[in-house]
Short mmCIF file of all heavy atoms in Angstrom, two decimals:
data_model
loop_
_atom_site.label_atom_id
_atom_site.label_comp_id
_atom_site.label_asym_id
_atom_site.label_seq_id
_atom_site.Cartn_x
_atom_site.Cartn_y
_atom_site.Cartn_z
N LEU A 34 31.11 -48.22 2.71
CA LEU A 34 31.62 -49.24 3.62
C LEU A 34 32.15 -48.61 4.91
O LEU A 34 31.91 -49.11 6.00
CB LEU A 34 32.75 -50.04 2.95
CG LEU A 34 32.36 -51.13 1.96
CD1 LEU A 34 33.62 -51.81 1.45
CD2 LEU A 34 31.44 -52.15 2.60
N PHE A 54 36.43 -51.43 -13.17
CA PHE A 54 37.64 -50.92 -12.52
C PHE A 54 37.59 -49.41 -12.48
O PHE A 54 37.39 -48.76 -13.50
CB PHE A 54 38.87 -51.40 -13.28
CG PHE A 54 40.17 -50.87 -12.73
CD1 PHE A 54 40.54 -51.13 -11.42
CD2 PHE A 54 41.02 -50.10 -13.51
CE1 PHE A 54 41.74 -50.65 -10.90
CE2 PHE A 54 42.21 -49.62 -13.02
CZ PHE A 54 42.57 -49.89 -11.70
N ASP A 57 43.21 -46.76 -9.22
CA ASP A 57 43.90 -47.09 -7.98
C ASP A 57 43.63 -46.02 -6.94
O ASP A 57 43.38 -44.85 -7.26
CB ASP A 57 45.41 -47.18 -8.21
CG ASP A 57 45.78 -48.32 -9.16
OD1 ASP A 57 45.01 -49.31 -9.23
OD2 ASP A 57 46.84 -48.22 -9.81
N GLY A 94 47.33 -60.87 -10.70
CA GLY A 94 48.24 -60.81 -9.57
C GLY A 94 48.08 -59.58 -8.69
O GLY A 94 48.72 -59.48 -7.64
N TYR A 97 42.70 -55.90 -5.16
CA TYR A 97 41.65 -54.90 -5.34
C TYR A 97 40.69 -54.93 -4.16
O TYR A 97 40.46 -55.99 -3.56
CB TYR A 97 40.85 -55.18 -6.61
CG TYR A 97 41.67 -55.19 -7.88
CD1 TYR A 97 42.23 -56.37 -8.35
CD2 TYR A 97 41.86 -54.02 -8.62
CE1 TYR A 97 42.98 -56.39 -9.51
CE2 TYR A 97 42.61 -54.04 -9.78
CZ TYR A 97 43.16 -55.22 -10.22
OH TYR A 97 43.92 -55.23 -11.38
N PRO A 101 29.94 -54.12 -4.89
CA PRO A 101 29.06 -54.46 -6.03
C PRO A 101 29.12 -53.45 -7.17
O PRO A 101 28.76 -53.79 -8.30
CB PRO A 101 27.67 -54.50 -5.38
CG PRO A 101 27.92 -54.84 -3.95
CD PRO A 101 29.19 -54.11 -3.61
N ARG A 104 35.55 -51.48 -8.43
CA ARG A 104 36.76 -52.23 -8.09
C ARG A 104 37.93 -51.27 -8.18
O ARG A 104 38.16 -50.64 -9.20
CB ARG A 104 36.94 -53.40 -9.08
CG ARG A 104 38.22 -54.20 -8.89
CD ARG A 104 38.18 -55.48 -9.75
NE ARG A 104 37.94 -55.16 -11.16
CZ ARG A 104 38.91 -55.09 -12.08
NH1 ARG A 104 40.17 -55.29 -11.75
NH2 ARG A 104 38.62 -54.81 -13.34
N ILE A 107 44.81 -51.49 -4.96
CA ILE A 107 45.63 -51.04 -3.84
C ILE A 107 47.00 -51.72 -3.93
O ILE A 107 47.19 -52.64 -4.72
CB ILE A 107 44.97 -51.34 -2.47
CG1 ILE A 107 44.94 -52.85 -2.21
CG2 ILE A 107 43.57 -50.75 -2.40
CD1 ILE A 107 44.54 -53.20 -0.78
N ALA A 116 49.55 -64.43 9.55
CA ALA A 116 49.07 -65.45 10.48
C ALA A 116 49.78 -65.22 11.81
O ALA A 116 51.01 -65.19 11.88
CB ALA A 116 49.37 -66.84 9.95
N GLY A 125 51.65 -86.68 12.99
CA GLY A 125 51.90 -87.31 11.69
C GLY A 125 50.84 -86.97 10.67
O GLY A 125 50.41 -85.82 10.56
N LEU A 130 46.69 -78.44 11.45
CA LEU A 130 47.17 -77.12 11.87
C LEU A 130 46.09 -76.09 11.60
O LEU A 130 45.60 -75.96 10.48
CB LEU A 130 48.44 -76.75 11.11
CG LEU A 130 49.62 -77.73 11.23
CD1 LEU A 130 50.78 -77.24 10.38
CD2 LEU A 130 50.04 -77.91 12.68
N VAL A 136 43.47 -60.38 10.79
CA VAL A 136 42.16 -59.78 10.51
C VAL A 136 41.02 -60.73 10.86
O VAL A 136 39.88 -60.53 10.45
CB VAL A 136 42.05 -59.32 9.03
CG1 VAL A 136 42.98 -58.16 8.77
CG2 VAL A 136 42.32 -60.47 8.07
N ASP A 157 68.02 -65.83 2.13
CA ASP A 157 67.79 -67.20 1.68
C ASP A 157 67.06 -68.02 2.74
O ASP A 157 67.05 -69.24 2.70
CB ASP A 157 69.11 -67.90 1.32
CG ASP A 157 68.88 -69.06 0.34
OD1 ASP A 157 67.97 -68.96 -0.50
OD2 ASP A 157 69.61 -70.06 0.42
N ARG A 168 42.52 -66.07 -3.82
CA ARG A 168 43.96 -66.09 -4.08
C ARG A 168 44.74 -65.35 -3.01
O ARG A 168 45.89 -64.99 -3.19
CB ARG A 168 44.25 -65.46 -5.46
CG ARG A 168 43.60 -66.18 -6.63
CD ARG A 168 44.02 -65.53 -7.95
NE ARG A 168 43.39 -66.16 -9.09
CZ ARG A 168 42.21 -65.80 -9.60
NH1 ARG A 168 41.55 -64.78 -9.05
NH2 ARG A 168 41.70 -66.42 -10.65
N LEU A 173 53.14 -66.31 7.61
CA LEU A 173 53.23 -66.70 9.01
C LEU A 173 54.25 -65.82 9.73
O LEU A 173 55.37 -65.64 9.25
CB LEU A 173 53.64 -68.17 9.14
CG LEU A 173 52.51 -69.21 9.12
CD1 LEU A 173 51.81 -69.23 7.75
CD2 LEU A 173 53.03 -70.59 9.45
N TYR A 179 59.02 -70.71 13.70
CA TYR A 179 59.80 -71.53 14.63
C TYR A 179 58.93 -72.65 15.21
O TYR A 179 59.39 -73.79 15.37
CB TYR A 179 60.35 -70.65 15.76
CG TYR A 179 61.32 -69.59 15.28
CD1 TYR A 179 61.37 -68.34 15.88
CD2 TYR A 179 62.20 -69.85 14.23
CE1 TYR A 179 62.26 -67.36 15.43
CE2 TYR A 179 63.09 -68.88 13.79
CZ TYR A 179 63.12 -67.65 14.39
OH TYR A 179 64.00 -66.69 13.96
N LEU A 184 57.69 -78.99 14.17
CA LEU A 184 56.80 -80.05 13.73
C LEU A 184 57.27 -80.72 12.44
O LEU A 184 56.61 -81.64 11.93
CB LEU A 184 55.38 -79.50 13.53
CG LEU A 184 54.72 -78.85 14.75
CD1 LEU A 184 53.40 -78.21 14.36
CD2 LEU A 184 54.52 -79.86 15.87
N GLU A 189 59.48 -88.53 1.80
CA GLU A 189 59.98 -88.60 0.43
C GLU A 189 58.97 -88.01 -0.54
O GLU A 189 57.81 -88.40 -0.55
CB GLU A 189 60.29 -90.05 0.05
CG GLU A 189 60.98 -90.18 -1.31
CD GLU A 189 61.43 -91.59 -1.61
OE1 GLU A 189 62.22 -92.13 -0.81
OE2 GLU A 189 60.98 -92.14 -2.64
N ALA A 194 64.22 -86.85 -0.33
CA ALA A 194 63.87 -86.66 1.07
C ALA A 194 63.65 -85.18 1.35
O ALA A 194 64.54 -84.36 1.11
CB ALA A 194 64.97 -87.21 1.98
N ALA A 206 55.87 -79.75 1.78
CA ALA A 206 57.33 -79.78 1.80
C ALA A 206 57.88 -78.37 1.94
O ALA A 206 57.43 -77.44 1.26
CB ALA A 206 57.86 -80.43 0.52
#
Side-chain angles (χ1 to χ4, degrees):
L34 281 181
F54 177 60
D57 296 333
Y97 301 91
R104 176 170 56 98
I107 69 170
L130 303 178
V136 292
D157 203 33
R168 299 184 182 89
L173 273 65
Y179 297 144
L184 301 173
E189 187 173 302

